[in-house]
Amino acid sequence: MATDPQQACFEAGIKFGSLYHQFAGTPVSPDSTRSLETAMAEAIENQPFCESVDVDISDSLVAEAIDHENGYTELTGNLMTVEMRIEYEGVTARTRMEMEDGYPLMKLISVDE
Amino acid sequence: MATDPQQACFEAGIKFGSLYHQFAGTPVSPDSTRSLETAMAEAIENQPFCESVDVDISDSLVAEAIDHENGYTELTGNLMTVEMRIEYEGVTARTRMEMEDGYPLMKLISVDE
Amino acid sequence: MATDPQQACFEAGIKFGSLYHQFAGTPVSPDSTRSLETAMAEAIENQPFCESVDVDISDSLVAEAIDHENGYTELTGNLMTVEMRIEYEGVTARTRMEMEDGYPLMKLISVDE
Amino acid sequence: MATDPQQACFEAGIKFGSLYHQFAGTPVSPDSTRSLETAMAEAIENQPFCESVDVDISDSLVAEAIDHENGYTELTGNLMTVEMRIEYEGVTARTRMEMEDGYPLMKLISVDE
């Protein structure tokens, strides 16, 4: 059987994979970053044990990624940072996705009973 | 070679398929319908020739679809209506997704030169 | 800092959320269940620490879910069972998604050091 | 009212948008390109009026896109070409997605009555 902290970490991972693969590929421009951040956070906060989600899509990185003709790019892990807090049976798991050595990495920051 | 009206219809179809398959499966509850509607519309409006997108997710249908324990459901075509206007080289194509005989149907409403 | 077993559980959750939200909504019929199962398993096995993924989409449940006119349905958690094995620094985490009380549930089956 | 050729083009667009936004973001490596190509084609061929779908994911472009540490990349339009044939009320629409000026472009190749 898994312990409560292990279960909290499993739930934290589910939320991260869900957020990334639901929304990666979404057309995005500097005009639509705020609405996408809000929708991503509120969507994943619906999931069980997910107390808070904070999504920060970089307007300047989005602008850089846009081809002059198209006017938009597709959302990838390179363009955002994400923080989440999971609460499971009194255990708090904190996670973050951020760039490391040029690649987006999903990290377990802390697990507190 | 395709005509301008045919090309307008092709572009209209692309936007509909994109919107549906990007966002179907998103966790949704009555608390997150407004933010999801806005993000969906603004995301697809980024695409070329897409002048306007209107997404209406039904709070009451979402509430009905929610299991008492989970507190959320996943977005499907049964829960929303969508209208779009595409402008391509002077041609306006209007499309709508709505329920028909119990199934969501993507329809080409009008093509005007 | 997270322990190795906690990290293994986090990685296991990421894979489950990824698989589900990448592939939910895919058009599926009894003619395409085998190719979808294989692609889902091989796609997620690419991810780090993911040793094996087994996806079983039920032909009979897919057939039942299909409307007579459409000829296909969209993949949801109701139509499949999934098993995964994650290996992280000597820790093995096993997970399963299966129906419970009418809803698909992602479960951590065991965590062994 | 839309004409049959216009309706064929609309249907062709839907299939392209669906294929792209359903599968973009899927983890892929040279070991999983064949199974992903097959699953993508068979999934979209389930949709109405879609007679054939051919997906060609480039092993060499996938290999180039892979970071030495990760071992996989995410599917994007840069890594594949796609051809489709739609049949609607005696009209045949052919479409192709390929790179043009460094960007993937969905194109209507021909519409024949």
Side-chain angles (χ1 to χ4, degrees):
Chain A
M1 283 291 298
T3 65
D4 284 348
Q6 289 169 357
Q7 190 69 38
C9 295
F10 181 59
E11 294 292 338
I14 290 174
K15 274 66 180 171
F16 239 125
S18 297
L19 178 138
Y20 193 86
H21 285 274
Q22 181 64 57
F23 293 102
T26 301
V28 65
S29 72
D31 289 342
S32 67
T33 44
R34 291 300 85 74
S35 65
L36 186 53
E37 287 172 352
T38 305
M40 291 172 73
E42 292 191 2
I44 302 303
E45 285 172 351
N46 284 318
Q47 294 191 326
F49 316 116
C50 190
E51 287 307 302
S52 79
V53 179
D54 192 66
V55 179
D56 183 357
I57 303 174
S58 164
D59 285 7
S60 58
L61 292 177
V62 167
E64 274 176 44
I66 291 178
D67 169 51
H68 54 101
E69 263 188 83
N70 267 347
Y72 73 99
T73 190
E74 294 173 14
L75 187 69
T76 68
N78 299 312
L79 303 174
M80 60 180 168
T81 56
V82 179
E83 297 197 348
M84 291 193 203
R85 182 164 52 85
I86 289 349
E87 302 278 358
Y88 182 87
E89 299 287 328
V91 179
T92 301
R94 293 175 191 275
T95 61
R96 189 182 301 155
M97 186 178 73
E98 61 189 1
M99 298 301 288
E100 207 166 277
D101 300 328
Y103 290 85
L105 205 62
M106 297 181 191
K107 294 194 288 194
L108 195 46
I109 300 300
S110 65
V111 185
D112 297 306
E113 294 181 74
Chain B
M1 284 291 297
T3 64
D4 284 348
Q6 289 170 358
Q7 191 69 39
C9 295
F10 181 60
E11 294 292 338
I14 291 174
K15 275 64 180 172
F16 239 125
S18 298
L19 177 139
Y20 194 85
H21 286 273
Q22 182 61 58
F23 294 103
T26 301
V28 65
S29 72
D31 290 341
S32 68
T33 45
R34 293 297 87 73
S35 65
L36 185 53
E37 288 173 350
T38 304
M40 290 172 73
E42 293 192 1
I44 302 302
E45 285 172 352
N46 284 317
Q47 293 192 326
F49 316 116
C50 190
E51 287 308 302
S52 78
V53 179
D54 192 66
V55 179
D56 184 358
I57 304 174
S58 163
D59 285 8
S60 59
L61 292 178
V62 167
E64 274 175 46
I66 291 177
D67 170 50
H68 56 100
E69 263 188 82
N70 268 346
Y72 74 99
T73 189
E74 296 174 12
L75 186 68
T76 68
N78 300 312
L79 304 174
M80 60 180 168
T81 56
V82 180
E83 297 197 348
M84 292 195 202
R85 183 164 52 86
I86 291 343
E87 302 277 357
Y88 182 85
E89 300 286 329
V91 179
T92 301
R94 292 175 191 276
T95 61
R96 189 182 301 156
M97 187 178 73
E98 60 188 2
M99 297 303 286
E100 207 166 278
D101 299 328
Y103 290 85
L105 204 63
M106 299 183 190
K107 295 194 287 192
L108 194 46
I109 300 300
S110 65
V111 185
D112 298 307
E113 294 182 74
Chain C
M1 284 292 298
T3 65
D4 284 348
Q6 289 169 357
Q7 189 70 39
C9 295
F10 180 59
E11 294 292 339
I14 290 174
K15 275 64 180 172
F16 239 125
S18 297
L19 178 140
Y20 194 86
H21 286 273
Q22 183 62 56
F23 294 102
T26 301
V28 66
S29 72
D31 289 342
S32 68
T33 44
R34 294 297 87 72
S35 65
L36 186 54
E37 286 172 352
T38 305
M40 290 173 73
E42 292 192 2
I44 301 302
E45 284 173 352
N46 284 318
Q47 294 192 324
F49 316 116
C50 188
E51 287 309 301
S52 79
V53 178
D54 192 65
V55 179
D56 183 357
I57 303 175
S58 164
D59 285 8
S60 59
L61 292 178
V62 167
E64 272 176 47
I66 291 177
D67 170 50
H68 55 102
E69 263 188 81
N70 268 346
Y72 74 100
T73 189
E74 297 174 12
L75 186 69
T76 67
N78 299 313
L79 303 175
M80 59 180 168
T81 56
V82 180
E83 296 198 348
M84 292 194 202
R85 183 165 51 86
I86 294 335
E87 301 278 356
Y88 181 87
E89 300 287 329
V91 180
T92 301
R94 294 176 189 274
T95 61
R96 188 181 304 156
M97 187 177 74
E98 61 187 1
M99 297 302 288
E100 206 165 278
D101 299 329
Y103 290 86
L105 204 63
M106 299 182 190
K107 294 193 287 192
L108 195 46
I109 300 299
S110 65
V111 185
D112 298 307
E113 294 182 75
Chain D
M1 283 291 297
T3 66
D4 284 348
Q6 289 169 357
Q7 190 69 39
C9 295
F10 180 60
E11 294 292 338
I14 290 174
K15 274 65 179 171
F16 239 125
S18 298
L19 178 139
Y20 194 86
H21 285 273
Q22 182 62 58
F23 293 102
T26 301
V28 65
S29 72
D31 290 342
S32 67
T33 45
R34 292 299 86 74
S35 66
L36 185 52
E37 287 172 352
T38 304
M40 290 172 72
E42 293 191 1
I44 302 301
E45 285 172 352
N46 284 317
Q47 294 191 324
F49 317 116
C50 190
E51 287 307 303
S52 78
V53 178
D54 192 65
V55 179
D56 183 356
I57 304 174
S58 163
D59 285 7
S60 60
L61 292 178
V62 167
E64 275 176 45
I66 291 178
D67 170 50
H68 55 101
E69 263 188 82
N70 268 347
Y72 74 100
T73 189
E74 295 173 13
L75 186 69
T76 68
N78 300 311
L79 303 174
M80 59 180 168
T81 56
V82 180
E83 297 198 348
M84 290 194 203
R85 182 164 52 86
I86 293 337
E87 302 278 357
Y88 181 86
E89 300 287 329
V91 180
T92 301
R94 292 176 190 276
T95 62
R96 189 182 301 156
M97 187 178 74
E98 61 189 359
M99 298 301 288
E100 206 165 280
D101 300 329
Y103 290 86
L105 204 62
M106 297 181 192
K107 293 194 288 193
L108 194 47
I109 299 301
S110 65
V111 185
D112 298 307
E113 293 181 75

